[in-house]
């Protein structure tokens, strides 16, 4: 009998779409065995809690608590019946199952309103541009946030919809805090999780359960789930893996973790899980891949499987079979259209390439497999996977979850999608590098790209060079402008507190970011504080970056985050709230004219940055080189000649050109052969070939034609050089 494997995502990661880990693993492992299943305990636990029955249990638990409620909690309890009457309609609405509730929600008399609704005055700016459904989603999201705050204040102080009990797992060199928390009697949320898990266990009847832990905020729930399986289904083996494990538990020596699980695997999970399944089928082989286990009270690491890495192209197509796609909810907690992509809408998750093609950034764990091993997939394979996922899910939205999607691979994928006539929407992570030319950005937009996210990190050329980011502030501005001009939204990841960063540089970074927002080429952003990690260049060689590592000492459990002193830098703690406040304002179209120092509650030095720095960078951008080796791609329709004019159905606007007959026929043929439709892998010819075909008897030379207004009009209409 084939061993049955159940893959679980514990609470809480995402509510609008499944986290992709189990989808990738299931897609590959189901090609080897039909006894592989997956479940998302996060969405199921959420729906158990946020229902009439779940809220009834919540209110009963609060009522029976010995705690004295404050005035806010008392008001919520007084509105108990309204919450019970509205929760099921709200959830159905956020699932897209009952859009008719939008009108009632927007009338502001249907939902009970708690403290979170006080921020609506700040959000009034967006109401003129928001549609009825989006406004209702925003109000419903605030309604749920009020309930989350209630849970945190009463029955579970560790509760959160994305960072559940995160503090227990952050920098947890000792297992003691987790062990103590897991030894406590299960609370209300724990019991609901166990009920959901029990149903999955009875349905699948697995021999092996794999639990992915993507983030610190999943670890407590993962081990709580494992503890329940241990008690109720003692014969079932449990394996732990995922992003948190791969970065934090690489030096694991804590035997008590194996009171909860049997195995812990590192890096890509396909081969370790396949080895475990084969081990169950034939224990005498005894070969395991990148796996920790406990033997005679000690933790051992075993890596005896003959095949150590699975090629990225061989990992298979992710599958969402078994996951309740129609049950996920769309939240609009922030009105910024770019920022809301993370919580609104159902996105199929896909990766263009394994690892990072740059892998130089000083703050990044570049030595670990998920970064270091760079393997792209062919565009045809990616397009096949996109087709398969659309067919399976009925959804045509994709989020490419690469560390940084390579520009050349995105270009090939865009051409393949256009060749097949696929209409999709997609967004993903990129580096702000000059390979993203205006033409490439237009091509990506034509293929369905709606947004990109990229690491600008520190908006300081000195610090960008120190961290080997490979970009400059001016370069970021030009690339962001190219994306924006193509109709693609841009989000920037920002960092403060990098080694040797001074107070002046922090304030000056904010000033540059302000100018990017004001110029309309940055649509959203997020600041996070720098943390040194053991596997990054900074953590491995702190002296090269002017800092001293002060702890923590390596422990038997998690080892990743490091503390440090920075003799030449500033204390970043004083700037965090002000940076967040500034970005919040900029994302809402406010605060552009204010001096950036007004966002800080502490003294901040005056930024020595020209107020027109970004405008100057855009105005002095190097001209686009029409290199002869670039591929020609025509995004418009089929051109036609009528009398003495060439009609171009453009990608944006149509154009009618009057050019001499010889050039008109040459241009018509050129554009027809450059259309990415039905090419079936045919090679695009390059500008050099176009030059060879240019009519020798034309009045203008080829070089002169490239400088003419006619050529400029064709380029504007949709002729790209890629």
């Amino acid at each position: 009998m084939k061993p049955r494997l159940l893959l679980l995502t514990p609470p809480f990661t995402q509510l609008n779409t499944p986290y992709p880990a189990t989808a990738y693993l299931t897609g590959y492992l189901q090609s080897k065995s039909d006894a592989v299943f997956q479940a998302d305990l996060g969405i199921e636990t959420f729906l158990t809690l946020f229902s009439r029955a779940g809220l009834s249990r919540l209110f009963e638990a609060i009522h029976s608590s010995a705690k004295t409620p404050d005035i806010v909690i008392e008001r919520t309890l007084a509105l108990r019946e309204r919450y019970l009457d509205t929760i099921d309609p709200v959830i159905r609405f956020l699932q897209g199952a009952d859009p008719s509730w939008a009108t009632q929600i927007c009338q502001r008399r249907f939902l009970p309103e708690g403290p979170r609704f006080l921020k609506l005055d700040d959000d009034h700016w967006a109401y003129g541009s928001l549609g009825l459904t989006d406004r209702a989603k925003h109000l419903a999201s605030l309604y749920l946030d009020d309930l989350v705050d209630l849970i945190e204040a009463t029955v579970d102080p560790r509760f959160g919809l994305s960072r559940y009990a995160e503090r227990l797992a952050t920098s947890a060199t000792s297992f003691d805090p987790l062990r103590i928390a897991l030894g406590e009697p299960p609370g209300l949320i724990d019991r609901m999780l166990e009920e959901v898990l029990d149903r999955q266990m009875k349905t699948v009847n697995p021999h092996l359960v794999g639990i992915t832990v993507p983030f610190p905020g999943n670890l407590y729930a993962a081990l709580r789930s494992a503890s329940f399986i241990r008690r109720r289904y003692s014969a079932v083996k449990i394996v732990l893996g995922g992003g948190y494990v791969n970065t934090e538990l690489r030096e694991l020596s804590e035997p008590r973790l194996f009171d909860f699980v049997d195995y812990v695997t590192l890096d890509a999970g396909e081969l370790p899980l396949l080895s475990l399944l084969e081990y169950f089928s034939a224990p005498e082989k005894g070969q395991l891949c990148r796996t920790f286990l406990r033997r005679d009270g000690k933790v051992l690491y075993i890596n005896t499987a003959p095949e150590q890495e699975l090629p990225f192209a061989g990992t298979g197509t992710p599958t969402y079979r078994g996951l309740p796609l129609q049950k996920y909810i769309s939240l609009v907690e922030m009105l910024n259209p770019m920022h809301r992509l993370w919580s609104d809408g159902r996105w199929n998750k896909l990766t263009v390439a394994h690892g990072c093609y740059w892998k130089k950034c000083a703050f990044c764990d570049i030595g670990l497999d998920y970064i270091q091993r760079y393997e792209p997939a062919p565009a045809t394979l990616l397009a096949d996977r996109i087709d398969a996922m659309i067919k399976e899910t009925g959804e045509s939205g994709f989020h490419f979850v690469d560390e940084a999607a390579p520009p050349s691979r995105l270009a090939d994928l865009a051409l393949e999608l256009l060749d097949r006539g696929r209409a999709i929407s997609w967004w993903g992570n990129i580096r702000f590098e000059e390979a993203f030319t205006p033409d490439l950005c237009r091509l990506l937009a034509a293929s369905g790209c709606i947004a990109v996210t990229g690491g600008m990190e520190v908006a300081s050329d000195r610090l960008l060079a120190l961290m080997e980011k490979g970009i400059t502030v001016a370069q970021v501005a030009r690339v962001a402008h190219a994306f924006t001009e193509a109709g693609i939204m841009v989000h920037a990841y920002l960092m403060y507190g990098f080694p040797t960063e001074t107070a002046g540089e922090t304030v000056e970074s904010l000033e540059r970011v302000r100018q990017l927002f004001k110029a309309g080429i940055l649509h959203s952003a997020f600041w996070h504080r720098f943390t040194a990690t053991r596997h990054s260049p900074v953590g491995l060689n702190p002296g090269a970056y002017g800092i001293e590592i002060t702890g923590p000492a390596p422990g038997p459990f998690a080892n990743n985050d490091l503390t440090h002193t920075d003799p030449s830098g500033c204390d970043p703690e004083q700037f965090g709230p002000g940076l967040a406040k500034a970005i919040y304002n900029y994302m809402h179209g406010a605060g552009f004219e204010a001096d950036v120092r007004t966002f800080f509650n502490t003294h901040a030095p005056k930024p020595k940055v020209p107020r027109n720095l970004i405008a100057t960078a855009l105005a002095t951008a190097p001209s686009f080189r029409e290199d002869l080796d670039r591929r020609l791609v025509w995004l418009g329709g089929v051109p036609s000649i009528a009398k003495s004019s060439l009609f171009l159905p453009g990608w944006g606007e149509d154009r009618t050109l009057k050019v001499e007959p010889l050039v008109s026929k040459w241009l018509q043929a050129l554009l027809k052969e450059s259309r990415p439709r039905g090419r079936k892998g045919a090679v695009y010819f390059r500008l050099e070939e176009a030059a060879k075909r240019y009519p020798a008897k034309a009045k203008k030379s080829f070089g002169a034609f490239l400088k003419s207004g006619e050529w400029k009009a064709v380029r504007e209409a949709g002729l790209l050089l890629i």
Side-chain angles (χ1 to χ4, degrees), residues 379 406-416 440 443-444 631 722:
S408 60
R409 298 291 175 168
L410 287 178
D412 291 342
L413 177 58
L415 291 173
E416 183 67 24
L440 177 53
L443 175 66
L444 299 183
R631 292 173 290 181
I722 302 298

Side-chain angles (χ1 to χ4, degrees), residues 12 37 103 106 120 192-193 267 285 291 362 383 426 441 495 535 553 573 585-586 589 634:
F12 290 101
F37 309 86
T103 300
C106 287
L120 279 175
M192 291 181 175
L193 167 62
D267 300 326
K285 292 184 178 181
T291 300
W426 64 268
C441 292
M495 180 187 298
H535 309 291
E573 186 72 27
N585 276 270
Y586 298 158
W634 169 241

Side-chain angles (χ1 to χ4, degrees), residues 410-706:
L410 287 178
D412 291 342
L413 177 58
L415 291 173
E416 183 67 24
L417 292 171
L418 291 170
D419 176 49
R420 299 187 184 194
R422 295 295 178 268
I424 70 169
S425 297
W426 64 268
W427 59 295
N429 202 41
I430 55 99
R431 291 184 64 249
F432 288 110
E433 62 168 272
E434 290 179 335
F436 287 107
T437 63
D439 278 21
L440 177 53
C441 292
R442 294 174 75 192
L443 175 66
L444 299 183
S447 73
C449 180
I450 59 172
V452 292
T453 61
M456 184 181 183
E457 317 308 350
V458 287
S460 159
D461 286 346
R462 182 188 78 83
L463 293 171
L464 286 169
L466 179 62
M467 65 170 53
E468 293 192 64
K469 187 67 183 178
I471 59 175
T472 65
V473 174
Q475 183 177 320
V476 171
R478 290 192 289 268
V479 173
H481 181 260
F483 277 113
T484 301
E485 286 293 293
I488 297 170
M489 296 184 292
V490 180
H491 172 91
Y493 296 108
L494 300 167
M495 180 187 298
Y496 67 103
F498 191 75
T500 72
E501 181 176 356
T502 65
E505 286 175 318
T506 301
V507 177
E508 289 171 357
S509 291
L510 178 58
E511 168 59 23
R512 296 182 185 103
V513 170
R514 181 196 69 81
Q515 293 186 32
L516 288 167
F517 270 101
K518 186 178 180 182
I521 57 177
L522 194 60
H523 303 93
S524 76
F526 181 79
W527 291 95
H528 71 275
R529 183 173 172 176
F530 167 79
T531 300
T533 58
R534 294 184 185 276
H535 309 291
S536 69
V538 173
L540 294 170
N541 188 16
Y545 299 89
I547 65 170
E548 179 182 349
I549 300 300
T550 57
F557 190 54
N559 291 286
N560 191 47
D561 291 356
L562 301 169
T563 58
H564 70 274
T565 58
D566 186 353
S568 58
C570 66
D571 176 16
E573 186 72 27
Q574 59 186 321
F575 293 108
L579 293 171
K581 183 179 180 181
I583 288 296
Y584 181 85
N585 276 270
Y586 298 158
M587 286 194 296
H588 289 77
F592 293 138
E593 304 307 322
D595 187 315
V596 294
R597 291 174 293 174
T598 62
F599 291 106
F600 302 108
N601 293 325
T602 184
H603 171 74
K606 183 178 181 179
K608 298 177 182 178
V609 177
R611 297 281 286 185
N612 63 345
L613 176 76
I614 298 303
T616 301
L618 296 178
T620 58
S623 59
F624 179 74
R625 295 176 57 191
E626 297 191 336
D627 296 330
L628 293 177
D629 63 345
R630 291 187 182 272
R631 292 173 290 181
L632 289 161
V633 179
W634 169 241
L635 297 179
V638 179
S640 60
I641 297 175
K643 297 182 180 180
S644 59
S645 299
L646 176 64
F647 176 67
L648 303 178
W651 180 48
E653 296 181 4
D654 297 340
R655 299 295 179 99
T656 300
L657 303 180
K658 289 189 177 182
V659 292
E660 59 179 300
L662 285 175
V663 176
S664 182
K665 290 181 180 179
W666 166 81
L667 195 52
Q668 181 189 37
L670 176 75
L671 299 181
K672 282 184 177 180
E673 293 184 50
S674 302
R675 298 184 70 233
R677 289 287 179 154
R679 301 180 68 89
K680 297 181 179 178
V683 177
Y684 288 82
F685 67 86
R686 301 179 184 272
L687 189 57
E688 182 179 19
E689 178 64 23
K692 293 177 181 178
R693 298 185 184 189
Y694 188 76
K697 295 183 179 181
K699 295 177 181 178
K700 293 180 180 178
S701 67
F702 181 70
F705 184 72
L706 290 186

Side-chain angles (χ1 to χ4, degrees), residues 287-291 301-308:
Q287 293 181 325
L288 296 176
C289 177
R290 301 192 298 271
T291 300
Y301 179 68
I302 300 178
N303 190 23
T304 57
E307 187 178 5
Q308 296 303 307

Side-chain angles (χ1 to χ4, degrees), residues 121-138:
D121 289 340
D122 296 333
D123 296 338
H124 184 73
W125 66 273
Y127 272 29
S129 58
L130 282 179
L132 184 72
T133 299
D134 283 347
R135 288 183 62 183
K137 281 185 181 180
H138 183 51

Side-chain angles (χ1 to χ4, degrees), residues 190-208:
D190 298 326
R191 294 194 298 274
M192 291 181 175
L193 167 62
E194 292 175 353
E195 292 163 10
V196 168
L197 177 56
D198 194 36
R199 290 196 295 268
Q200 290 291 340
M201 295 294 292
K202 290 177 179 177
T203 300
V204 176
N205 191 24
H207 301 89
L208 176 67

